[in-house]
Amino acid sequence: GFFLCKKIIQSKNCIIFVIIDLVIKMNKEQFENVLSIAMSTGADFAEIYYEEHQAKNYCFNDSKLDTIKTSNTKGLGIRIIKGDEYFYSSTNNLNYDNLCETAKKLAENISNSTKKINIKLKDLKISKPVIRIPHNQFPVSKKKEILNNADTLIRERYKEITQATLSFKEEEKEFIIANTEGTYIKSGNTYTRFSGIVYTQKDDVKEDDFIAYGEGKGYEFLENFNVEEKMLETAASAVEKLSAEDFKGGELPVIIAPGFGAVIFHEACGHGLEATSVAPKLSIFSELKDQKIGSKKVTLIDDGTIENMWGSSIIDDEGNIPQKNILIENGILKNYLVDKIGSIKMGVPATGCGRRESYEYAPTSRMSNTYLAPGTDKIEDMISSIKLGVYCKKFSGGTVNPATGDFNFAVDKAYLIEKGKITKHLKGVTLIGNGKDILNNVEMVSDDLILSDGYCGSKSGLIPVTIGQPTIKISKILVGGKE
């Protein structure tokens, strides 16, 4: 049988998780046999997802490389579909007899009556990203040097810093998908990400600021990201927050900076355009295709094909090629994000967006790289058009109800706009509104599109996603403050 033996080795500055792997990989015939068992009681479709995942995190804390954490996992998930229902089971016991028994028990959800099925797969197709600087070819000494130099630089520059934590995160995932349509494909993803958080204090006031950047690449991602420069900006922002002022709030025009500000669109309408919500009519956008849902300034795109982008993949987690999906075009709802189950329920083709965190989850429709398309408006015109409003430079998080579209987002960094000029730094600002309203209130869109990486949690787990937008002006939205 298969088992994982986890051994923890501890040293002064390092904790390493070593996972001893005793798995023998399945061959094509075994995949075919397990699929045949899964189909034996009358399923319409069966799928196997086999995954190997490695992750490593280098954490630089208290001005030293504090920990290195490594994990390795393997597992397999089996899904069967009958009509518009699916049944899913996952295991890390990859003994062949256990997998046959797992498929048999899964098939019993449909019927106890069996018949012999003979599934045949195509020849294995291998499709993986090209990585120029793999994780294991970028020396640990170099990683430590980069983190140490940035930490030293910001501490020397800003005496208000009380603590700083910097890290590199590395992930590599390989997977095989085999299904009863003949698909037999091996693919994978590589992710590398830097993150840093700076804590500051002045008298009794404490603040912090955070930066993160990642790509679907190896350490060549540093060609597009200067760690020292970005950490200096983050430290300066954390210091500036110490003098921020309270704000009363009210219904006001708002300008949202490019990049991570798009979290509003991701949450307030992006999830509502996924088949997971659309098919069962749980979304406010479920029956609005080809109808106007926003201003003409709004064109929202989800593109899983952007090479090496954080949310991209060569093959989605259902074995399909990702697509560039125009969800909203000039304010008109054009498409939804559709996985296989959504395709069955909605009677439309899948759009290459079936994604999952790991083998423990069945895939569902998920966003990849979602962004608001650039416009032609000028930022200076946006600012000069506002007598009293708020410039939202950075968000920290929020909540949304996909059934109603109501949201509440905390603004991590904001400034007052007075008589066409950006003035004082504000604190305690929130944006409160509704997804449909904000789409219709997009008044101006500039051409300075920035994409930002992050993680999205939903029914199929936590996955890497990209969000983005240019600078935009919202004509009115409820801005919450201290009073």
Side-chain angles (χ1 to χ4, degrees):
F2 166 80
F3 62 92
L4 294 176
C5 176
K6 183 182 289 185
K7 183 179 181 183
I8 301 178
I9 303 173
Q10 295 193 27
S11 65
K12 183 177 180 181
N13 293 323
C14 182
I15 300 175
I16 303 176
F17 294 88
V18 180
I19 297 182
I20 301 171
D21 177 18
L22 302 178
V23 176
I24 298 176
K25 289 184 179 179
M26 292 172 63
N27 58 38
K28 181 180 178 181
E29 182 180 358
Q30 289 174 321
F31 275 109
E32 291 172 338
N33 290 342
V34 173
L35 286 171
S36 296
I37 294 170
M39 292 288 287
S40 64
T41 60
D44 300 325
F45 173 86
E47 166 197 82
I48 296 171
Y49 177 86
Y50 170 81
E51 177 190 77
E52 301 180 11
H53 178 267
Q54 301 85 39
K56 184 174 288 187
N57 189 68
Y58 298 84
C59 183
F60 197 90
N61 196 44
D62 289 327
S63 296
K64 64 179 183 293
L65 187 58
D66 188 48
T67 58
I68 302 174
K69 295 182 180 180
T70 302
S71 67
N72 297 270
T73 58
K74 286 187 180 183
L76 181 147
I78 303 174
R79 177 173 64 158
I80 60 175
I81 297 176
K82 179 66 175 179
D84 61 1
E85 290 188 308
Y86 76 88
F87 304 91
Y88 189 79
S89 182
S90 65
T91 180
N92 63 0
N93 180 350
L94 299 181
N95 176 274
Y96 175 63
D97 290 339
N98 177 67
L99 297 180
C100 291
E101 183 64 23
T102 300
K104 179 182 176 181
K105 289 182 178 179
L106 198 61
E108 290 173 356
N109 285 285
I110 295 176
S111 172
N112 290 321
S113 177
T114 64
K115 64 178 180 179
K116 187 172 179 59
I117 302 291
N118 187 22
I119 300 297
K120 291 296 181 183
L121 297 173
K122 299 174 184 177
D123 291 335
L124 181 65
K125 179 182 178 182
I126 300 177
S127 182
K128 294 183 180 181
V130 176
I131 305 300
R132 288 196 289 110
I133 307 178
H135 297 145
N136 60 6
Q137 292 183 21
F138 197 75
V140 175
S141 59
K142 183 64 175 176
K143 299 168 189 176
K144 181 179 178 180
E145 178 187 351
I146 293 171
L147 298 175
N148 181 70
N149 288 348
D151 179 81
T152 301
L153 181 63
I154 62 172
R155 289 178 184 272
E156 289 178 348
R157 183 74 60 88
Y158 298 102
K159 302 307 179 185
E160 296 90 343
I161 294 176
T162 57
Q163 181 59 286
T165 301
L166 301 82
S167 67
F168 282 124
K169 184 177 183 180
E170 306 168 355
E171 286 190 79
E172 295 177 23
K173 181 169 76 169
E174 288 191 344
F175 58 87
I176 294 175
I177 296 174
N179 66 39
T180 50
E181 294 173 350
T183 297
Y184 187 38
I185 189 166
K186 182 176 183 179
S187 189
N189 303 98
T190 295
Y191 303 104
T192 316
R193 192 178 198 232
F194 169 83
S195 61
I197 184 167
V198 179
Y199 300 90
T200 58
Q201 182 173 355
K202 182 178 181 181
D203 299 326
D204 294 331
V205 181
K206 297 180 180 180
E207 289 290 350
D208 62 72
D209 210 333
F210 177 79
I211 181 70
Y213 181 82
E215 294 186 34
K217 297 180 179 180
Y219 274 91
E220 64 267 29
F221 93 105
L222 290 174
E223 296 168 1
N224 300 319
F225 184 82
N226 186 305
V227 173
E228 292 185 8
E229 176 184 306
K230 294 302 180 181
M231 282 303 297
L232 278 173
E233 291 177 4
T234 304
S237 178
V239 171
E240 184 186 6
K241 286 181 182 179
L242 295 170
S243 58
E245 300 180 26
D246 290 323
F247 180 63
K248 184 177 181 179
E251 189 174 71
L252 298 166
V254 164
I255 292 175
I256 301 178
F260 198 75
V263 67
I264 284 185
F265 296 97
H266 173 96
E267 295 289 357
C269 67
H271 281 298
L273 298 176
E274 295 169 338
T276 309
S277 299
V278 176
K281 296 181 172 52
L282 298 176
S283 167
I284 56 173
F285 304 109
S286 287
E287 297 179 324
L288 297 179
K289 189 175 180 182
D290 297 323
Q291 295 186 36
K292 181 181 180 297
I293 63 169
S295 79
K296 291 183 178 181
K297 298 284 185 176
V298 176
T299 293
L300 188 69
I301 298 169
D302 186 90
D303 188 357
T305 70
I306 305 174
E307 188 175 3
N308 296 120
M309 187 58 65
W310 183 249
S312 294
S313 56
I314 296 177
I315 300 296
D316 78 353
D317 293 331
E318 295 184 313
N320 299 315
I321 298 174
Q323 299 178 18
K324 179 178 181 179
N325 298 296
I326 299 177
L327 303 175
I328 303 171
E329 186 174 30
N330 300 326
I332 306 298
L333 176 56
K334 291 292 186 179
N335 288 296
Y336 300 109
L337 293 172
V338 185
D339 60 338
K340 186 169 185 64
I341 283 292
S343 174
I344 294 169
K345 291 182 177 181
M346 298 167 64
V348 297
T351 60
C353 65
R355 303 186 68 195
R356 63 180 108 197
E357 178 181 340
S358 71
Y359 72 91
E360 296 180 287
Y361 298 85
T364 56
S365 54
R366 303 291 296 273
M367 287 173 275
S368 56
N369 307 303
T370 312
Y371 61 92
L372 197 70
T376 59
D377 297 306
K378 302 301 181 183
I379 299 172
E380 53 268 30
D381 293 337
M382 297 183 192
I383 298 170
S384 64
S385 69
I386 296 176
K387 291 184 178 180
L388 180 66
V390 175
Y391 176 73
C392 301
K393 188 172 183 179
K394 192 174 183 180
F395 288 80
S396 59
T399 60
V400 63
N401 182 339
T404 63
D406 294 331
F407 62 78
N408 184 318
F409 285 94
V411 183
D412 190 53
K413 194 170 186 181
Y415 298 86
L416 188 65
I417 301 175
E418 298 176 286
K419 298 178 180 179
K421 296 184 182 297
I422 295 176
T423 58
K424 59 187 178 182
H425 192 185
L426 305 175
K427 64 180 178 180
V429 173
T430 59
L431 298 186
I432 304 164
N434 180 273
K436 282 187 177 180
D437 292 339
I438 197 170
L439 289 174
N440 281 291
N441 292 341
V442 176
E443 185 178 303
M444 302 176 79
V445 179
S446 76
D447 60 358
D448 58 338
L449 173 65
I450 293 178
L451 301 177
S452 300
D453 62 279
Y455 289 93
C456 173
S458 189
K459 189 176 181 181
S460 59
L462 193 70
I463 61 171
V465 297
T466 302
I467 58 174
Q469 66 170 49
T471 302
I472 64 171
K473 177 188 174 185
I474 306 296
S475 59
K476 60 179 180 179
I477 191 171
L478 182 58
V479 181
K482 186 175 181 181
E483 297 181 25

